[in-house]
Amino acid sequence: MSEYPSRCAECGGMMSVSTDPIPFELRGLTLMVPGIEHSTCSACGEVVVALHDTECLQREAARRYREHRGLLAPDEIRALRRSLGLSQAAFEHLLGIGAKTVVRWEKGTILQSATADRLMRVIRETPQAV
């Protein structure tokens, strides 16, 4: 038995499995994320992604968003924090952000704001600003 339904829950149309790019909206930007197996309704376009693939879809969409907007990548944030010799909690305190935010940025599970990104770039380029 397939992990995808054969009929669309929205309209009853036929579903087909594909790895075609999936449109994913993130902060007002629609990104096309390829390579994730999913099922699409031929009638209404409804997309169903298996639970085990949703995190991959979200991470890839976030990566593409960061790239499109020119935001620091998770490994760049981690490298900056480490270059300052700060724990994640101390870096959060320095930036004036909530607990576990840096953890999530470094894991790539959430995106930093453009303001936070600019501040980190200033700190990276001018460490004495700390």
Side-chain angles (χ1 to χ4, degrees), residues 28-51:
L29 180 66
T30 301
L31 303 148
M32 298 305 288
V33 181
I36 307 291
E37 186 177 84
H38 62 283
S39 187
T40 305
C41 176
S42 59
C44 73
E46 178 74 10
V47 173
V48 176
V49 178
L51 186 58

Side-chain angles (χ1 to χ4, degrees), residues 72-92 94-95 102-103 105-107 120 123-124 127 130:
L72 293 170
D75 59 330
E76 292 175 297
I77 295 170
R78 185 178 307 103
L80 170 60
R81 176 182 59 78
R82 287 179 176 167
S83 76
L84 298 170
L86 297 174
S87 67
Q88 290 171 329
F91 197 43
E92 289 160 352
L94 173 70
L95 297 174
V102 170
V103 172
W105 288 349
E106 290 182 0
K107 286 177 65 178
M120 287 186 285
I123 291 168
R124 184 174 68 180
V130 173

Side-chain angles (χ1 to χ4, degrees), residues 5-27:
S6 59
R7 294 274 182 192
C8 178
E10 293 295 315
C11 75
M14 294 299 296
M15 301 291 285
S16 60
V17 177
S18 169
T19 56
D20 290 343
I22 302 171
F24 191 98
E25 188 169 329
L26 188 55
R27 293 189 181 176

